[in-house]
Amino acid sequence: MEETDREAVSTAAQRVAGMLQRPDQLDKVEQYRRREARKKASVEARLKAAIQSQLDGVRTGLSQLHNALNDVKDIQHSLADVSKDWRQSINTIENLKDVKDAVVQHSQLAAAVENLKNIFSVPEIVQEAYELIERGELLLAHRKLMDLECSRDDLMYEQYRMDSKNTHDMKLIQAYFTEVQNLSEQMGKQIWMLVQRSSVTVRSDPAQLVSMIRIIEREEKIDKRMLDRKKQTGFIPPGRPKKWKNKLFAVLEQTVANRIEASQSDTRELDKMWLVRHLELTRKYVLEDLLVMKNLMAQCFPPHYNIFRMLQNLYHQALMARVEELAAEDLEANEIVSLLTWVLNTYRSEDMMGHPDLAPEVDVKALEPLLSSDVANMLLSKYMTTLTSNIIGWLRKALETDKKDWKKAQEPETDQDGYYQTTLPAIVFQMFEQNLQVAAQISDDLKLKVLKLCLQQMNSFLSRYKEEVAAYKDEHLKDRQHPQFYIQYMIAVVNNCQTFKESLNSLKRKYTKFELEMEEDHYSDQPTIQGTLDVIAKEGCAFLLDEVFLDLKPHLQELMTRKWLVGSNAVDIICVTIEDYFNDFAKIKRPFSKDITIEAHRQVVVEYIRTMMQRRITFKSLDERREGAERVMKDAEQFQFLFKKLSSYITWSGLPYSC
């Protein structure tokens, strides 16, 4: 306390010192004193009020504790009185046991009397209910079933209340009402049959469907009431809960699954188009069913069932399961395409789930994929593997067929412009076209993959084609009389190369978004293909010229000889032979017709110069030299005239080409 006083005095001294730091402040001492006195009085008043409030609270608390103590004592006395009265009434309660038993017996008898009519009439009521079911009057039949079940359940409940351990009497009651349980099962069978035929029933007799739903709703309410009573008493009648609403959904699910499976009528052994037929029937059935369910069946069900959305989900789940089953089978390439096209395109199209009459309840954008990405990728990979093998086989078969044509004893066919050709390019690119059309139906990505595959296999095929053409030439050289139309078919080979190039460019334009928008990595093989085709064509032209110069060889050897100088007709024969060959070469397509003409001219010049360089003749006089020079000039004029004549058949950039 003394320490507190000292601190207070010290604080006051500091405060006074702070207020009286200048001489002129001494005049305000009295003012300072009054101000501090007011502050002191205010603080003391607040302190007194706080202390008074605390004292009042303590006083109130003590008063309440005192009252609580008195209440506790009163309760204690009351409990003692109750305990005393209870001990005195034990004997009285035991004396009322007979009354209690009488009450229970009266309750049972009252239940028996109330249900007496139903109890004695069980067989007749059951028979009437069966007849009503047969006539399709389900609501009336179910009303009788409910009355019988109510009588049975009330009797069993009273027996349970009286003696829950007396199973003999319970079994006796249950046995007496056995036909009621059978009637309930028969009613269920009739209802589930209606559910299975709901898509037909709703069109022919929607009232039956409404009655079925009302019966199920009744059973659901009874189930709920019985379960609530079980929580209170522990008793539940036999056969409860029936859970017919859950059974309804289960039967609908099985019905949908059966509907999907029933659309497969054939197998691969009976019909190669079995999968296409199966998928089309599935599409037709699903669309028809959903339209009926939206427009008719939804009107027969309570709104809280949300029956259309539930059935849509059931069909979607059933289709997912069926599609996965099909994907797990050993499908062929065309079957994989059919399945993927149906899953990725048809399912969401206006021909099925995107049908205008199903909107807005069905949102195709919100539908889950029928196939997982892993399964879809597996099918695509399998398809590409199978397609690769098929293309290789098709190309090999096409080449073998073309090789057989080379040996025919008739000229190859010509196109509308008169150029020789074989069916090889048409067969190859028709095959490519068909596969690309199929792939385009599935996705653009698959289309590009198939196009890349076709180009890769085309490159490999051309390598084999080049080898076979060379082998064809070698075989011909062994006996130049066979094949009979070697020249014509070699021309057709050269023309095929140009046709391949044109078809390749056409394919490129058709199966890409824009002509110049092709990614180089997708078509890295294309320059090689073009180059290989040029090589094959040039080799074909070379083989043709080899054939020409084999015939010209003995006549070329006469040049620059004494026989040539005195008037040999070797050059005439050479020109006639070349012109004769070029009558056939005129059926070579541009630009190779130009190339072969230039090459023929070059080789003639080379051969002529070679004969001059070989010095086969020695001129004995100046006159012979002059005569030889004139002869060379004459030969040159003949060759120039010949190749101008040959080149007149060729136009280049719209102008005649001249060697």
Side-chain angles (χ1 to χ4, degrees):
M1 188 68 177
E2 292 178 357
E3 183 178 356
T4 303
D5 292 341
R6 285 196 299 272
E7 289 180 358
V9 171
S10 175
T11 301
Q14 291 178 358
R15 188 167 182 182
V16 170
M19 289 187 295
L20 301 175
Q21 292 181 355
R22 299 190 305 276
D24 59 336
Q25 291 179 330
L26 292 174
D27 297 338
K28 299 180 180 180
V29 169
E30 187 62 28
Q31 182 181 351
Y32 292 154
R33 183 183 292 112
R34 287 195 301 272
R35 186 175 66 186
E36 293 301 323
R38 286 196 301 272
K39 288 183 179 180
K40 178 182 178 184
S42 176
V43 170
E44 288 176 349
R46 289 198 302 272
L47 183 60
K48 288 179 181 180
I51 293 174
Q52 184 63 39
S53 176
Q54 291 293 327
L55 289 174
D56 291 342
V58 170
R59 187 181 296 110
T60 302
L62 289 174
S63 175
Q64 290 175 348
L65 288 173
H66 181 70
N67 293 335
L69 179 60
N70 293 333
D71 292 340
V72 169
K73 289 179 180 180
D74 292 341
I75 292 170
Q76 187 176 6
H77 292 313
S78 299
L79 288 175
D81 294 340
V82 169
S83 178
K84 181 179 178 181
D85 294 340
W86 177 74
R87 291 190 183 92
Q88 292 176 353
S89 63
I90 289 177
N91 295 331
T92 304
I93 294 173
E94 290 178 353
N95 294 333
L96 293 175
K97 182 178 180 182
D98 294 339
V99 177
K100 179 182 178 182
D101 293 341
V103 171
V104 172
Q105 187 176 7
H106 179 271
S107 175
Q108 291 176 337
L109 291 173
V113 170
E114 183 179 352
N115 296 289
L116 192 61
K117 181 180 179 182
N118 289 338
I119 291 173
F120 284 111
S121 305
V122 167
E124 291 81 1
I125 297 175
V126 169
Q127 184 60 35
E128 290 176 5
Y130 277 125
E131 292 175 357
L132 290 171
I133 291 175
E134 290 179 0
R135 294 200 300 267
E137 300 179 20
L138 298 183
L139 281 176
L140 293 177
H142 187 255
R143 172 54 63 187
K144 293 184 178 297
L145 173 63
M146 290 173 60
D147 293 341
L148 291 172
E149 287 181 337
C150 182
S151 300
R152 179 198 63 186
D153 297 346
D154 287 346
L155 288 174
M156 295 184 74
Y157 175 63
E158 294 300 333
Q159 177 61 36
Y160 179 84
R161 285 178 58 194
M162 182 177 69
D163 186 2
S164 61
K165 297 181 180 179
N166 188 352
T167 59
H168 178 268
D169 290 347
M170 296 288 280
K171 289 180 179 179
L172 184 63
I173 297 172
Q174 188 172 352
Y176 184 77
F177 284 93
T178 300
E179 284 301 317
V180 176
Q181 184 63 30
N182 295 337
L183 177 62
S184 176
E185 293 175 358
Q186 183 63 30
M187 175 68 71
K189 290 179 181 178
Q190 187 69 18
I191 289 175
W192 309 139
M193 185 178 70
L194 282 174
V195 173
Q196 292 170 353
R197 301 178 65 252
S198 57
S199 61
V200 177
T201 303
V202 74
R203 284 179 276 195
S204 59
D205 189 4
Q208 281 282 70
L209 206 58
V210 174
S211 298
M212 176 194 75
I213 298 302
R214 291 180 62 185
I215 292 171
I216 292 174
E217 286 293 294
R218 287 176 182 175
E219 292 293 344
E220 285 295 303
K221 291 179 181 178
I222 297 174
D223 280 350
K224 185 178 184 303
R225 188 167 66 249
M226 293 297 107
L227 290 173
D228 291 341
R229 187 165 70 177
K230 180 184 179 183
K231 293 178 182 178
Q232 297 175 359
T233 64
F235 171 78
I236 190 166
R240 293 287 178 186
K242 293 184 180 180
K243 298 181 179 180
W244 277 10
K245 188 174 182 180
N246 292 342
K247 178 69 173 177
L248 166 68
F249 295 148
V251 173
L252 282 173
E253 183 176 1
Q254 186 60 45
T255 302
V256 170
N258 293 340
R259 179 72 161 162
I260 300 300
E261 292 180 3
S263 60
Q264 181 177 348
S265 57
D266 296 318
T267 61
R268 184 184 296 116
E269 291 74 17
L270 298 176
D271 185 356
K272 291 296 183 181
M273 300 298 290
W274 69 276
L275 184 57
V276 174
R277 192 183 306 278
H278 174 40
L279 294 174
E280 175 57 22
L281 287 176
T282 300
R283 181 201 66 79
K284 180 181 177 182
Y285 289 165
V286 171
L287 179 60
E288 288 179 354
D289 290 352
L290 288 178
L291 288 173
V292 169
M293 290 165 188
K294 178 188 175 184
N295 298 322
L296 299 177
M297 190 177 292
Q299 315 302 323
C300 301
F301 283 76
H304 66 272
Y305 274 61
N306 200 4
I307 191 66
F308 179 72
R309 179 59 58 85
M310 187 206 70
L311 287 170
Q312 178 199 333
N313 291 335
L314 289 179
Y315 271 98
H316 186 76
Q317 296 299 323
L319 288 173
M320 287 180 64
R322 182 56 183 156
V323 167
E324 288 183 359
E325 290 177 3
L326 292 173
E329 295 185 11
D330 187 18
L331 298 178
E332 298 177 356
N334 62 320
E335 294 171 348
I336 293 175
V337 169
S338 298
L339 181 61
L340 289 175
T341 302
W342 194 89
V343 168
L344 300 177
N345 298 328
T346 304
Y347 182 64
R348 297 172 183 270
S349 70
E350 292 187 357
D351 294 330
M352 197 170 178
M353 302 305 289
H355 195 282
D357 292 342
L358 292 178
E361 285 78 4
V362 177
D363 182 6
V364 293
K365 296 180 180 178
L367 292 175
E368 296 181 7
L370 289 179
L371 276 180
S372 65
S373 58
D374 292 340
V375 176
N377 291 334
M378 180 272 292
L379 285 176
L380 288 173
S381 176
K382 182 179 179 181
Y383 171 70
M384 291 301 294
T385 301
T386 306
L387 182 61
T388 301
S389 176
N390 289 345
I391 288 178
I392 292 174
W394 291 330
L395 290 175
R396 183 182 297 112
K397 184 177 180 180
L399 183 55
E400 291 298 324
T401 302
D402 206 53
K403 285 169 56 182
K404 292 178 181 179
D405 291 343
W406 295 348
K407 299 179 181 180
K408 285 183 177 180
Q410 62 183 29
E411 291 186 353
E413 63 183 31
T414 58
D415 61 13
Q416 66 272 17
D417 296 322
Y419 296 115
Y420 286 131
Q421 63 175 11
T422 66
T423 58
L424 182 63
I427 293 173
V428 170
F429 280 93
Q430 183 181 11
M431 176 189 63
F432 288 168
E433 177 84 15
Q434 290 173 350
N435 285 284
L436 284 167
Q437 287 177 354
V438 168
Q441 294 176 1
I442 299 177
S443 67
D444 289 339
D445 182 59
L446 181 62
K447 178 185 68 175
L448 291 176
K449 288 182 179 179
V450 172
L451 182 55
K452 182 179 179 181
L453 172 63
C454 291
L455 296 177
Q456 290 173 341
Q457 295 305 320
M458 182 68 181
N459 196 28
S460 301
F461 165 75
L462 290 177
S463 297
R464 295 193 300 272
Y465 189 50
K466 179 174 176 289
E467 294 172 358
E468 293 297 340
V469 171
Y472 180 56
K473 182 264 300 185
D474 294 339
E475 182 180 356
H476 170 70
L477 291 179
K478 294 176 182 178
D479 182 0
R480 294 186 62 204
Q481 301 301 318
H482 298 90
Q484 180 180 353
F485 294 97
Y486 167 79
I487 296 294
Q488 289 77 4
Y489 277 101
M490 188 60 71
I491 292 173
V493 167
V494 175
N495 290 339
N496 285 348
C497 292
Q498 183 60 24
T499 304
F500 274 129
K501 292 168 71 174
E502 293 170 356
S503 300
L504 188 64
N505 291 331
S506 175
L507 208 65
K508 165 185 169 181
R509 289 191 298 269
K510 185 173 181 180
Y511 288 98
T512 51
K513 292 181 180 179
F514 299 101
E515 296 182 17
L516 302 177
E517 227 179 55
M518 300 172 62
E519 298 180 10
E520 291 184 1
D521 59 335
H522 282 171
Y523 304 97
S524 58
D525 292 325
Q526 187 169 342
T528 305
I529 293 175
Q530 298 279 11
T532 304
L533 288 169
D534 287 338
V535 169
I536 295 173
K538 289 179 180 179
E539 287 186 355
C541 292
F543 296 158
L544 291 171
L545 291 179
D546 289 345
E547 190 73 7
V548 175
F549 281 90
L550 282 174
D551 288 345
L552 296 181
K553 186 175 181 180
H555 306 292
L556 289 171
Q557 290 177 349
E558 288 186 15
L559 299 177
M560 296 300 163
T561 62
R562 182 65 58 180
K563 183 179 179 181
W564 165 77
L565 184 62
V566 298
S568 170
N569 59 353
V571 173
D572 295 333
I573 295 175
I574 290 173
C575 290
V576 170
T577 303
I578 292 175
E579 185 173 1
D580 181 57
Y581 271 105
F582 267 81
N583 286 330
D584 287 331
F585 294 171
K587 295 184 178 181
I588 298 177
K589 290 184 177 181
R590 290 173 293 177
F592 302 117
S593 57
K594 168 191 172 182
D595 295 340
I596 196 172
T597 305
I598 294 174
E599 182 62 20
H601 192 179
R602 188 191 67 81
Q603 288 193 29
V604 168
V605 172
V606 168
E607 290 297 329
Y608 198 91
I609 293 174
R610 180 180 289 114
T611 59
M612 294 174 65
M613 300 300 293
Q614 288 176 350
R615 298 183 179 180
R616 296 177 181 175
I617 185 172
T618 301
F619 296 108
K620 298 179 180 180
S621 65
L622 183 60
D623 292 336
E624 285 187 352
R625 288 181 180 276
R626 185 181 297 109
E627 186 179 352
E630 291 174 353
R631 184 69 172 171
V632 169
M633 291 298 295
K634 181 180 178 182
D635 292 346
E637 289 175 357
Q638 279 187 269
F639 289 136
Q640 184 178 14
F641 175 79
L642 170 66
F643 285 101
K644 280 186 177 181
K645 181 179 179 181
L646 297 179
S647 62
S648 64
Y649 301 124
I650 305 170
T651 59
W652 185 257
S653 300
L655 297 174
Y657 172 79
S658 174
C659 298

